[in-house]
Amino acid sequence: MPYLDHAATTFVRPEVLAAVEPLLAKLYGNPSGGHAVGREARRVLDEAREEIADFCGAPAQGVIFTSGGTEADNWVIDGVLDAAATRDKHRIVTTAIEHKAILEAAHRREKWDAEVIEVGVDALGRVDPHDVATASRGATLVSVMAANNELGTIQDLRAIAREVRREAPEAVLHTDAVQAAPWLDLAELTQGFDLLTLSSHKLGGLKGTGCLVSRTSIKVAPLLVGGGQELGLRAGTQDAIGAMAMALALRLAVAERAEATSRITSLRNRFLAELHDLTGAHSTVEGANVLPGHAHVVFPGMVAEELLVAFDRADLQATAGSSCASGATESSHVLKAIGLDRAAVRGAVRFTLGHTTTELDIDRACSIIGQAVTQLS
Ligand code: PLP
């Protein structure tokens, strides 16, 4: 079964499964419990926190666990604005291709106390650091994703941090690194940024775990109040096993990064070349710096929904638009932002390779896609 939807979610890594299974029975303590069982859960939780912090170039206390990327992204918007000293209207600067977890959370604040500027991108999905910096003057928060979930396009975060710091030294800088995390060095990538969002299930960890990482000492208002867990920022009994699984998945991704990047990049390039020869499909963002696993393509004259049904019948998984949106039939704000014409949008499909993808998967996928395109043409 050629699963090519790794950007939506990926397989739990076998090492993670092996580590989690015995703990489900053994590690039942509440990390806040003041006894040996609680202390053991606290130790597992804190080790995970320290390890993730280290990979992000953040202090250990900078990692606050959440239920995933959506929660951390939503929290950034409200937490940064609510903690800001100013009572004036806030300016949030972001991009037109952010995940909806950022865009909707930002626009929700327009009713009360914020204006939102969505900086546009070019045809390859790249934002100009200078445009971000110009829009950032007087901003409370600037949020630019590290790599886009639909296209895979990687932003120049270093240049963005440099330019925004010059124009808006007071602004809090956040990046959604959910898609970048399996592939890019997070500490290096996020230099100059205050905050980053991560999600475990994109790394081969478990669903339902993510974190907001703070590399600096900026203030973020609490997301959940109650028992005071997570430094009083996100109350609720913590999931030490989920945290451990996330740290382990990230460690494995980091350890195999060099090998996986070259293996998956060459598989992806072969896939794109064969798809082109077989069907005339072409990369939507030809020439962009994209994540190794992303192959976003346009099938000229075809309808993506029909193709996806045919793929699904043949056990090939892919997606149109972002699969976080249920059904994904609504037109993608990302494809609109890069100015793709309507005919191309209709035939646009995202395939994403990941840590388990093999040569055989690509062979199978090409054959299924070739047959589907022939049948539907
Ligand atoms: N941000 C990006 C870029 C994503 O791709 C996703 C999920 O696809 C999210 C945030 C949401 O993460 P989660 O599924 O952990 O809520």
PDB file of all heavy atoms in Angstrom, residues 69 72-77 80 93-94 98 102 140-146 157 160 165 171-178 190 192-198 211-213 218:
ATOM      1  N   GLY A  69      -0.160  20.579  17.349  1.00  0.00           N
ATOM      2  CA  GLY A  69       0.232  21.812  16.683  1.00  0.00           C
ATOM      3  C   GLY A  69      -0.882  22.855  16.672  1.00  0.00           C
ATOM      4  O   GLY A  69      -0.632  24.048  16.852  1.00  0.00           O
ATOM      5  N   ALA A  72      -1.044  24.644  20.028  1.00  0.00           N
ATOM      6  CA  ALA A  72       0.094  25.546  20.238  1.00  0.00           C
ATOM      7  C   ALA A  72      -0.036  26.794  19.358  1.00  0.00           C
ATOM      8  O   ALA A  72       0.233  27.914  19.798  1.00  0.00           O
ATOM      9  CB  ALA A  72       1.399  24.809  19.955  1.00  0.00           C
ATOM     10  N   ASP A  73      -0.470  26.602  18.109  1.00  0.00           N
ATOM     11  CA  ASP A  73      -0.640  27.755  17.201  1.00  0.00           C
ATOM     12  C   ASP A  73      -1.732  28.704  17.715  1.00  0.00           C
ATOM     13  O   ASP A  73      -1.556  29.918  17.732  1.00  0.00           O
ATOM     14  CB  ASP A  73      -1.013  27.271  15.789  1.00  0.00           C
ATOM     15  CG  ASP A  73       0.202  26.847  14.972  1.00  0.00           C
ATOM     16  OD1 ASP A  73       1.343  27.054  15.433  1.00  0.00           O
ATOM     17  OD2 ASP A  73       0.008  26.311  13.856  1.00  0.00           O
ATOM     18  N   ASN A  74      -2.865  28.144  18.104  1.00  0.00           N
ATOM     19  CA  ASN A  74      -3.955  28.977  18.648  1.00  0.00           C
ATOM     20  C   ASN A  74      -3.458  29.745  19.874  1.00  0.00           C
ATOM     21  O   ASN A  74      -3.727  30.928  20.053  1.00  0.00           O
ATOM     22  CB  ASN A  74      -5.135  28.107  19.095  1.00  0.00           C
ATOM     23  CG  ASN A  74      -6.100  27.767  17.969  1.00  0.00           C
ATOM     24  OD1 ASN A  74      -7.295  27.724  18.186  1.00  0.00           O
ATOM     25  ND2 ASN A  74      -5.628  27.524  16.773  1.00  0.00           N
ATOM     26  N   TRP A  75      -2.736  29.030  20.709  1.00  0.00           N
ATOM     27  CA  TRP A  75      -2.264  29.614  21.974  1.00  0.00           C
ATOM     28  C   TRP A  75      -1.309  30.787  21.735  1.00  0.00           C
ATOM     29  O   TRP A  75      -1.349  31.800  22.436  1.00  0.00           O
ATOM     30  CB  TRP A  75      -1.612  28.518  22.819  1.00  0.00           C
ATOM     31  CG  TRP A  75      -1.080  28.969  24.138  1.00  0.00           C
ATOM     32  CD1 TRP A  75      -1.472  30.079  24.853  1.00  0.00           C
ATOM     33  CD2 TRP A  75      -0.056  28.335  24.897  1.00  0.00           C
ATOM     34  NE1 TRP A  75      -0.745  30.165  26.019  1.00  0.00           N
ATOM     35  CE2 TRP A  75       0.126  29.099  26.075  1.00  0.00           C
ATOM     36  CE3 TRP A  75       0.712  27.182  24.705  1.00  0.00           C
ATOM     37  CZ2 TRP A  75       1.060  28.753  27.044  1.00  0.00           C
ATOM     38  CZ3 TRP A  75       1.633  26.832  25.687  1.00  0.00           C
ATOM     39  CH2 TRP A  75       1.802  27.616  26.831  1.00  0.00           C
ATOM     40  N   VAL A  76      -0.432  30.628  20.722  1.00  0.00           N
ATOM     41  CA  VAL A  76       0.524  31.701  20.424  1.00  0.00           C
ATOM     42  C   VAL A  76      -0.216  33.023  20.202  1.00  0.00           C
ATOM     43  O   VAL A  76       0.174  34.063  20.739  1.00  0.00           O
ATOM     44  CB  VAL A  76       1.353  31.348  19.163  1.00  0.00           C
ATOM     45  CG1 VAL A  76       2.008  32.584  18.573  1.00  0.00           C
ATOM     46  CG2 VAL A  76       2.408  30.340  19.526  1.00  0.00           C
ATOM     47  N   ILE A  77      -1.264  32.956  19.410  1.00  0.00           N
ATOM     48  CA  ILE A  77      -1.977  34.190  19.085  1.00  0.00           C
ATOM     49  C   ILE A  77      -2.547  34.816  20.358  1.00  0.00           C
ATOM     50  O   ILE A  77      -2.264  35.979  20.681  1.00  0.00           O
ATOM     51  CB  ILE A  77      -3.132  33.906  18.086  1.00  0.00           C
ATOM     52  CG1 ILE A  77      -2.590  33.255  16.798  1.00  0.00           C
ATOM     53  CG2 ILE A  77      -3.934  35.182  17.802  1.00  0.00           C
ATOM     54  CD1 ILE A  77      -1.779  34.122  15.894  1.00  0.00           C
ATOM     55  N   VAL A  80       0.292  35.520  23.347  1.00  0.00           N
ATOM     56  CA  VAL A  80       1.205  36.651  23.153  1.00  0.00           C
ATOM     57  C   VAL A  80       0.440  37.972  23.266  1.00  0.00           C
ATOM     58  O   VAL A  80       0.889  38.914  23.922  1.00  0.00           O
ATOM     59  CB  VAL A  80       1.930  36.538  21.789  1.00  0.00           C
ATOM     60  CG1 VAL A  80       2.677  37.822  21.449  1.00  0.00           C
ATOM     61  CG2 VAL A  80       2.890  35.347  21.818  1.00  0.00           C
ATOM     62  N   VAL A  93       1.197  40.098  12.335  1.00  0.00           N
ATOM     63  CA  VAL A  93       1.678  39.948  10.955  1.00  0.00           C
ATOM     64  C   VAL A  93       1.929  38.471  10.702  1.00  0.00           C
ATOM     65  O   VAL A  93       2.619  37.803  11.483  1.00  0.00           O
ATOM     66  CB  VAL A  93       2.968  40.769  10.734  1.00  0.00           C
ATOM     67  CG1 VAL A  93       3.516  40.533   9.335  1.00  0.00           C
ATOM     68  CG2 VAL A  93       2.686  42.247  10.951  1.00  0.00           C
ATOM     69  N   THR A  94       1.347  37.991   9.628  1.00  0.00           N
ATOM     70  CA  THR A  94       1.554  36.583   9.289  1.00  0.00           C
ATOM     71  C   THR A  94       1.578  36.470   7.760  1.00  0.00           C
ATOM     72  O   THR A  94       1.757  37.482   7.092  1.00  0.00           O
ATOM     73  CB  THR A  94       0.469  35.711   9.973  1.00  0.00           C
ATOM     74  OG1 THR A  94       0.781  34.350   9.750  1.00  0.00           O
ATOM     75  CG2 THR A  94      -0.942  36.015   9.497  1.00  0.00           C
ATOM     76  N   GLU A  98      -0.236  30.545   5.823  1.00  0.00           N
ATOM     77  CA  GLU A  98      -0.113  29.848   7.113  1.00  0.00           C
ATOM     78  C   GLU A  98      -1.181  28.761   7.248  1.00  0.00           C
ATOM     79  O   GLU A  98      -2.242  28.813   6.594  1.00  0.00           O
ATOM     80  CB  GLU A  98      -0.297  30.837   8.267  1.00  0.00           C
ATOM     81  CG  GLU A  98       0.782  31.860   8.408  1.00  0.00           C
ATOM     82  CD  GLU A  98       2.176  31.302   8.604  1.00  0.00           C
ATOM     83  OE1 GLU A  98       2.391  30.541   9.557  1.00  0.00           O
ATOM     84  OE2 GLU A  98       3.054  31.642   7.792  1.00  0.00           O
ATOM     85  N   ILE A 102      -3.246  29.080  12.659  1.00  0.00           N
ATOM     86  CA  ILE A 102      -2.747  30.446  12.899  1.00  0.00           C
ATOM     87  C   ILE A 102      -3.741  31.460  12.337  1.00  0.00           C
ATOM     88  O   ILE A 102      -4.155  32.397  13.024  1.00  0.00           O
ATOM     89  CB  ILE A 102      -1.353  30.643  12.239  1.00  0.00           C
ATOM     90  CG1 ILE A 102      -0.270  29.935  13.054  1.00  0.00           C
ATOM     91  CG2 ILE A 102      -1.019  32.126  12.062  1.00  0.00           C
ATOM     92  CD1 ILE A 102       0.042  30.555  14.416  1.00  0.00           C
ATOM     93  N   THR A 140       2.746  43.426  17.439  1.00  0.00           N
ATOM     94  CA  THR A 140       2.908  42.685  18.693  1.00  0.00           C
ATOM     95  C   THR A 140       3.478  41.299  18.383  1.00  0.00           C
ATOM     96  O   THR A 140       4.330  40.792  19.098  1.00  0.00           O
ATOM     97  CB  THR A 140       1.540  42.528  19.391  1.00  0.00           C
ATOM     98  OG1 THR A 140       1.002  43.829  19.616  1.00  0.00           O
ATOM     99  CG2 THR A 140       1.665  41.788  20.713  1.00  0.00           C
ATOM    100  N   LEU A 141       2.975  40.685  17.311  1.00  0.00           N
ATOM    101  CA  LEU A 141       3.361  39.310  16.983  1.00  0.00           C
ATOM    102  C   LEU A 141       3.577  39.144  15.483  1.00  0.00           C
ATOM    103  O   LEU A 141       2.778  39.640  14.678  1.00  0.00           O
ATOM    104  CB  LEU A 141       2.228  38.354  17.424  1.00  0.00           C
ATOM    105  CG  LEU A 141       2.363  36.891  17.026  1.00  0.00           C
ATOM    106  CD1 LEU A 141       3.544  36.226  17.716  1.00  0.00           C
ATOM    107  CD2 LEU A 141       1.078  36.119  17.368  1.00  0.00           C
ATOM    108  N   VAL A 142       4.660  38.459  15.143  1.00  0.00           N
ATOM    109  CA  VAL A 142       4.923  38.100  13.746  1.00  0.00           C
ATOM    110  C   VAL A 142       5.030  36.581  13.692  1.00  0.00           C
ATOM    111  O   VAL A 142       5.833  35.985  14.421  1.00  0.00           O
ATOM    112  CB  VAL A 142       6.241  38.740  13.244  1.00  0.00           C
ATOM    113  CG1 VAL A 142       6.529  38.319  11.808  1.00  0.00           C
ATOM    114  CG2 VAL A 142       6.178  40.259  13.359  1.00  0.00           C
ATOM    115  N   SER A 143       4.198  35.951  12.876  1.00  0.00           N
ATOM    116  CA  SER A 143       4.199  34.495  12.797  1.00  0.00           C
ATOM    117  C   SER A 143       4.347  34.038  11.343  1.00  0.00           C
ATOM    118  O   SER A 143       3.484  34.309  10.514  1.00  0.00           O
ATOM    119  CB  SER A 143       2.896  33.943  13.395  1.00  0.00           C
ATOM    120  OG  SER A 143       2.910  32.533  13.343  1.00  0.00           O
ATOM    121  N   VAL A 144       5.454  33.366  11.064  1.00  0.00           N
ATOM    122  CA  VAL A 144       5.733  32.887   9.697  1.00  0.00           C
ATOM    123  C   VAL A 144       6.118  31.414   9.787  1.00  0.00           C
ATOM    124  O   VAL A 144       7.055  31.050  10.508  1.00  0.00           O
ATOM    125  CB  VAL A 144       6.887  33.683   9.051  1.00  0.00           C
ATOM    126  CG1 VAL A 144       7.194  33.146   7.650  1.00  0.00           C
ATOM    127  CG2 VAL A 144       6.559  35.167   8.980  1.00  0.00           C
ATOM    128  N   MET A 145       5.411  30.563   9.053  1.00  0.00           N
ATOM    129  CA  MET A 145       5.698  29.135   9.131  1.00  0.00           C
ATOM    130  C   MET A 145       7.061  28.814   8.515  1.00  0.00           C
ATOM    131  O   MET A 145       7.502  29.486   7.572  1.00  0.00           O
ATOM    132  CB  MET A 145       4.588  28.311   8.486  1.00  0.00           C
ATOM    133  CG  MET A 145       4.531  28.397   6.989  1.00  0.00           C
ATOM    134  SD  MET A 145       2.927  27.885   6.257  1.00  0.00           S
ATOM    135  CE  MET A 145       2.398  26.516   7.234  1.00  0.00           C
ATOM    136  N   ALA A 146       7.714  27.777   9.042  1.00  0.00           N
ATOM    137  CA  ALA A 146       9.031  27.400   8.535  1.00  0.00           C
ATOM    138  C   ALA A 146       8.927  26.751   7.160  1.00  0.00           C
ATOM    139  O   ALA A 146       9.715  27.023   6.262  1.00  0.00           O
ATOM    140  CB  ALA A 146       9.708  26.456   9.520  1.00  0.00           C
ATOM    141  N   LEU A 157      13.855  31.741   7.097  1.00  0.00           N
ATOM    142  CA  LEU A 157      13.577  32.266   8.439  1.00  0.00           C
ATOM    143  C   LEU A 157      14.720  33.125   8.968  1.00  0.00           C
ATOM    144  O   LEU A 157      14.492  34.085   9.701  1.00  0.00           O
ATOM    145  CB  LEU A 157      13.310  31.119   9.423  1.00  0.00           C
ATOM    146  CG  LEU A 157      12.014  30.330   9.291  1.00  0.00           C
ATOM    147  CD1 LEU A 157      11.817  29.452  10.518  1.00  0.00           C
ATOM    148  CD2 LEU A 157      10.791  31.214   9.105  1.00  0.00           C
ATOM    149  N   ILE A 160      14.258  36.497   7.621  1.00  0.00           N
ATOM    150  CA  ILE A 160      13.044  37.092   8.205  1.00  0.00           C
ATOM    151  C   ILE A 160      13.355  37.595   9.621  1.00  0.00           C
ATOM    152  O   ILE A 160      13.032  38.732   9.988  1.00  0.00           O
ATOM    153  CB  ILE A 160      11.879  36.075   8.194  1.00  0.00           C
ATOM    154  CG1 ILE A 160      11.417  35.854   6.750  1.00  0.00           C
ATOM    155  CG2 ILE A 160      10.707  36.553   9.064  1.00  0.00           C
ATOM    156  CD1 ILE A 160      10.469  34.687   6.549  1.00  0.00           C
ATOM    157  N   ARG A 165      13.738  41.914  13.197  1.00  0.00           N
ATOM    158  CA  ARG A 165      14.387  42.443  14.407  1.00  0.00           C
ATOM    159  C   ARG A 165      14.824  43.891  14.194  1.00  0.00           C
ATOM    160  O   ARG A 165      14.793  44.700  15.117  1.00  0.00           O
ATOM    161  CB  ARG A 165      15.594  41.597  14.792  1.00  0.00           C
ATOM    162  CG  ARG A 165      15.234  40.233  15.325  1.00  0.00           C
ATOM    163  CD  ARG A 165      14.690  40.304  16.758  1.00  0.00           C
ATOM    164  NE  ARG A 165      14.268  38.999  17.243  1.00  0.00           N
ATOM    165  CZ  ARG A 165      13.145  38.767  17.911  1.00  0.00           C
ATOM    166  NH1 ARG A 165      12.303  39.747  18.147  1.00  0.00           N
ATOM    167  NH2 ARG A 165      12.840  37.563  18.324  1.00  0.00           N
ATOM    168  N   ALA A 171       8.638  43.197  18.556  1.00  0.00           N
ATOM    169  CA  ALA A 171       7.680  42.159  18.147  1.00  0.00           C
ATOM    170  C   ALA A 171       8.123  40.770  18.616  1.00  0.00           C
ATOM    171  O   ALA A 171       9.317  40.457  18.628  1.00  0.00           O
ATOM    172  CB  ALA A 171       7.539  42.167  16.624  1.00  0.00           C
ATOM    173  N   VAL A 172       7.142  39.955  18.988  1.00  0.00           N
ATOM    174  CA  VAL A 172       7.431  38.541  19.310  1.00  0.00           C
ATOM    175  C   VAL A 172       7.425  37.773  17.986  1.00  0.00           C
ATOM    176  O   VAL A 172       6.507  37.923  17.173  1.00  0.00           O
ATOM    177  CB  VAL A 172       6.357  37.979  20.267  1.00  0.00           C
ATOM    178  CG1 VAL A 172       6.546  36.478  20.458  1.00  0.00           C
ATOM    179  CG2 VAL A 172       6.414  38.703  21.616  1.00  0.00           C
ATOM    180  N   LEU A 173       8.455  36.950  17.790  1.00  0.00           N
ATOM    181  CA  LEU A 173       8.577  36.205  16.524  1.00  0.00           C
ATOM    182  C   LEU A 173       8.276  34.722  16.749  1.00  0.00           C
ATOM    183  O   LEU A 173       8.928  34.071  17.570  1.00  0.00           O
ATOM    184  CB  LEU A 173      10.010  36.340  16.019  1.00  0.00           C
ATOM    185  CG  LEU A 173      10.257  37.318  14.889  1.00  0.00           C
ATOM    186  CD1 LEU A 173      11.751  37.473  14.646  1.00  0.00           C
ATOM    187  CD2 LEU A 173       9.589  36.817  13.621  1.00  0.00           C
ATOM    188  N   HIS A 174       7.306  34.227  16.015  1.00  0.00           N
ATOM    189  CA  HIS A 174       6.910  32.813  16.138  1.00  0.00           C
ATOM    190  C   HIS A 174       6.990  32.114  14.790  1.00  0.00           C
ATOM    191  O   HIS A 174       6.705  32.719  13.754  1.00  0.00           O
ATOM    192  CB  HIS A 174       5.462  32.722  16.656  1.00  0.00           C
ATOM    193  CG  HIS A 174       4.855  31.348  16.491  1.00  0.00           C
ATOM    194  ND1 HIS A 174       3.940  31.045  15.489  1.00  0.00           N
ATOM    195  CD2 HIS A 174       5.058  30.192  17.176  1.00  0.00           C
ATOM    196  CE1 HIS A 174       3.586  29.763  15.589  1.00  0.00           C
ATOM    197  NE2 HIS A 174       4.249  29.231  16.593  1.00  0.00           N
ATOM    198  N   THR A 175       7.367  30.835  14.826  1.00  0.00           N
ATOM    199  CA  THR A 175       7.271  30.038  13.603  1.00  0.00           C
ATOM    200  C   THR A 175       6.580  28.710  13.879  1.00  0.00           C
ATOM    201  O   THR A 175       6.834  28.059  14.901  1.00  0.00           O
ATOM    202  CB  THR A 175       8.656  29.788  12.950  1.00  0.00           C
ATOM    203  OG1 THR A 175       8.444  29.105  11.700  1.00  0.00           O
ATOM    204  CG2 THR A 175       9.583  28.958  13.807  1.00  0.00           C
ATOM    205  N   ASP A 176       5.703  28.337  12.959  1.00  0.00           N
ATOM    206  CA  ASP A 176       5.069  27.026  12.986  1.00  0.00           C
ATOM    207  C   ASP A 176       6.032  26.073  12.265  1.00  0.00           C
ATOM    208  O   ASP A 176       6.169  26.125  11.038  1.00  0.00           O
ATOM    209  CB  ASP A 176       3.718  27.118  12.258  1.00  0.00           C
ATOM    210  CG  ASP A 176       3.030  25.772  12.125  1.00  0.00           C
ATOM    211  OD1 ASP A 176       3.714  24.740  12.215  1.00  0.00           O
ATOM    212  OD2 ASP A 176       1.807  25.761  11.904  1.00  0.00           O
ATOM    213  N   ALA A 177       6.709  25.246  13.060  1.00  0.00           N
ATOM    214  CA  ALA A 177       7.732  24.358  12.482  1.00  0.00           C
ATOM    215  C   ALA A 177       7.229  22.913  12.394  1.00  0.00           C
ATOM    216  O   ALA A 177       8.023  21.971  12.328  1.00  0.00           O
ATOM    217  CB  ALA A 177       9.009  24.436  13.309  1.00  0.00           C
ATOM    218  N   VAL A 178       5.902  22.747  12.369  1.00  0.00           N
ATOM    219  CA  VAL A 178       5.313  21.404  12.386  1.00  0.00           C
ATOM    220  C   VAL A 178       5.804  20.565  11.210  1.00  0.00           C
ATOM    221  O   VAL A 178       6.211  19.411  11.378  1.00  0.00           O
ATOM    222  CB  VAL A 178       3.764  21.510  12.389  1.00  0.00           C
ATOM    223  CG1 VAL A 178       3.114  20.176  12.059  1.00  0.00           C
ATOM    224  CG2 VAL A 178       3.277  22.025  13.735  1.00  0.00           C
ATOM    225  N   THR A 190      15.606  28.225  13.652  1.00  0.00           N
ATOM    226  CA  THR A 190      14.792  29.185  14.397  1.00  0.00           C
ATOM    227  C   THR A 190      15.631  30.220  15.142  1.00  0.00           C
ATOM    228  O   THR A 190      15.114  30.902  16.023  1.00  0.00           O
ATOM    229  CB  THR A 190      13.859  28.458  15.387  1.00  0.00           C
ATOM    230  OG1 THR A 190      14.663  27.692  16.292  1.00  0.00           O
ATOM    231  CG2 THR A 190      12.901  27.533  14.671  1.00  0.00           C
ATOM    232  N   GLY A 192      16.991  33.507  16.253  1.00  0.00           N
ATOM    233  CA  GLY A 192      16.375  34.829  16.133  1.00  0.00           C
ATOM    234  C   GLY A 192      14.882  34.806  16.403  1.00  0.00           C
ATOM    235  O   GLY A 192      14.251  35.853  16.512  1.00  0.00           O
ATOM    236  N   PHE A 193      14.292  33.599  16.501  1.00  0.00           N
ATOM    237  CA  PHE A 193      12.856  33.492  16.805  1.00  0.00           C
ATOM    238  C   PHE A 193      12.646  33.286  18.304  1.00  0.00           C
ATOM    239  O   PHE A 193      13.515  32.744  18.986  1.00  0.00           O
ATOM    240  CB  PHE A 193      12.236  32.324  16.027  1.00  0.00           C
ATOM    241  CG  PHE A 193      11.847  32.714  14.618  1.00  0.00           C
ATOM    242  CD1 PHE A 193      12.822  32.957  13.664  1.00  0.00           C
ATOM    243  CD2 PHE A 193      10.511  32.875  14.263  1.00  0.00           C
ATOM    244  CE1 PHE A 193      12.482  33.350  12.384  1.00  0.00           C
ATOM    245  CE2 PHE A 193      10.167  33.261  12.979  1.00  0.00           C
ATOM    246  CZ  PHE A 193      11.151  33.501  12.038  1.00  0.00           C
ATOM    247  N   ASP A 194      11.494  33.733  18.801  1.00  0.00           N
ATOM    248  CA  ASP A 194      11.171  33.540  20.209  1.00  0.00           C
ATOM    249  C   ASP A 194      10.471  32.208  20.434  1.00  0.00           C
ATOM    250  O   ASP A 194      10.736  31.520  21.417  1.00  0.00           O
ATOM    251  CB  ASP A 194      10.224  34.657  20.695  1.00  0.00           C
ATOM    252  CG  ASP A 194      10.877  36.017  20.609  1.00  0.00           C
ATOM    253  OD1 ASP A 194      11.858  36.247  21.334  1.00  0.00           O
ATOM    254  OD2 ASP A 194      10.407  36.846  19.799  1.00  0.00           O
ATOM    255  N   LEU A 195       9.535  31.891  19.547  1.00  0.00           N
ATOM    256  CA  LEU A 195       8.628  30.765  19.799  1.00  0.00           C
ATOM    257  C   LEU A 195       8.527  29.848  18.591  1.00  0.00           C
ATOM    258  O   LEU A 195       8.580  30.321  17.446  1.00  0.00           O
ATOM    259  CB  LEU A 195       7.216  31.293  20.087  1.00  0.00           C
ATOM    260  CG  LEU A 195       7.023  32.183  21.318  1.00  0.00           C
ATOM    261  CD1 LEU A 195       5.666  32.878  21.251  1.00  0.00           C
ATOM    262  CD2 LEU A 195       7.116  31.347  22.580  1.00  0.00           C
ATOM    263  N   LEU A 196       8.364  28.546  18.842  1.00  0.00           N
ATOM    264  CA  LEU A 196       8.060  27.645  17.734  1.00  0.00           C
ATOM    265  C   LEU A 196       7.054  26.582  18.157  1.00  0.00           C
ATOM    266  O   LEU A 196       6.974  26.225  19.328  1.00  0.00           O
ATOM    267  CB  LEU A 196       9.314  26.995  17.147  1.00  0.00           C
ATOM    268  CG  LEU A 196      10.183  26.097  17.988  1.00  0.00           C
ATOM    269  CD1 LEU A 196      10.684  24.935  17.146  1.00  0.00           C
ATOM    270  CD2 LEU A 196      11.378  26.862  18.509  1.00  0.00           C
ATOM    271  N   THR A 197       6.302  26.133  17.169  1.00  0.00           N
ATOM    272  CA  THR A 197       5.276  25.105  17.366  1.00  0.00           C
ATOM    273  C   THR A 197       5.753  23.787  16.778  1.00  0.00           C
ATOM    274  O   THR A 197       6.273  23.761  15.659  1.00  0.00           O
ATOM    275  CB  THR A 197       3.983  25.532  16.624  1.00  0.00           C
ATOM    276  OG1 THR A 197       3.424  26.664  17.270  1.00  0.00           O
ATOM    277  CG2 THR A 197       2.960  24.414  16.584  1.00  0.00           C
ATOM    278  N   LEU A 198       5.536  22.702  17.528  1.00  0.00           N
ATOM    279  CA  LEU A 198       5.852  21.359  17.031  1.00  0.00           C
ATOM    280  C   LEU A 198       4.666  20.422  17.263  1.00  0.00           C
ATOM    281  O   LEU A 198       3.870  20.643  18.183  1.00  0.00           O
ATOM    282  CB  LEU A 198       7.066  20.781  17.771  1.00  0.00           C
ATOM    283  CG  LEU A 198       8.393  21.511  17.645  1.00  0.00           C
ATOM    284  CD1 LEU A 198       9.445  20.828  18.514  1.00  0.00           C
ATOM    285  CD2 LEU A 198       8.857  21.550  16.196  1.00  0.00           C
ATOM    286  N   CYS A 211       3.946  20.735  21.220  1.00  0.00           N
ATOM    287  CA  CYS A 211       4.437  21.688  22.234  1.00  0.00           C
ATOM    288  C   CYS A 211       4.644  23.054  21.631  1.00  0.00           C
ATOM    289  O   CYS A 211       4.773  23.213  20.412  1.00  0.00           O
ATOM    290  CB  CYS A 211       5.716  21.188  22.901  1.00  0.00           C
ATOM    291  SG  CYS A 211       7.071  20.883  21.789  1.00  0.00           S
ATOM    292  N   LEU A 212       4.617  24.029  22.532  1.00  0.00           N
ATOM    293  CA  LEU A 212       5.054  25.375  22.191  1.00  0.00           C
ATOM    294  C   LEU A 212       6.412  25.531  22.860  1.00  0.00           C
ATOM    295  O   LEU A 212       6.549  25.280  24.060  1.00  0.00           O
ATOM    296  CB  LEU A 212       4.055  26.412  22.720  1.00  0.00           C
ATOM    297  CG  LEU A 212       4.410  27.853  22.365  1.00  0.00           C
ATOM    298  CD1 LEU A 212       4.378  28.071  20.847  1.00  0.00           C
ATOM    299  CD2 LEU A 212       3.440  28.829  23.024  1.00  0.00           C
ATOM    300  N   VAL A 213       7.405  25.905  22.062  1.00  0.00           N
ATOM    301  CA  VAL A 213       8.758  26.038  22.590  1.00  0.00           C
ATOM    302  C   VAL A 213       9.123  27.512  22.617  1.00  0.00           C
ATOM    303  O   VAL A 213       8.968  28.215  21.615  1.00  0.00           O
ATOM    304  CB  VAL A 213       9.770  25.278  21.692  1.00  0.00           C
ATOM    305  CG1 VAL A 213      11.177  25.372  22.282  1.00  0.00           C
ATOM    306  CG2 VAL A 213       9.354  23.831  21.517  1.00  0.00           C
ATOM    307  N   ILE A 218      10.365  35.715  26.625  1.00  0.00           N
ATOM    308  CA  ILE A 218       9.172  36.544  26.389  1.00  0.00           C
ATOM    309  C   ILE A 218       7.965  35.968  27.142  1.00  0.00           C
ATOM    310  O   ILE A 218       7.920  34.775  27.447  1.00  0.00           O
ATOM    311  CB  ILE A 218       8.830  36.661  24.879  1.00  0.00           C
ATOM    312  CG1 ILE A 218       8.645  35.282  24.283  1.00  0.00           C
ATOM    313  CG2 ILE A 218       9.842  37.465  24.125  1.00  0.00           C
ATOM    314  CD1 ILE A 218       7.265  35.037  23.909  1.00  0.00           C
TER     315      ILE A 218
END
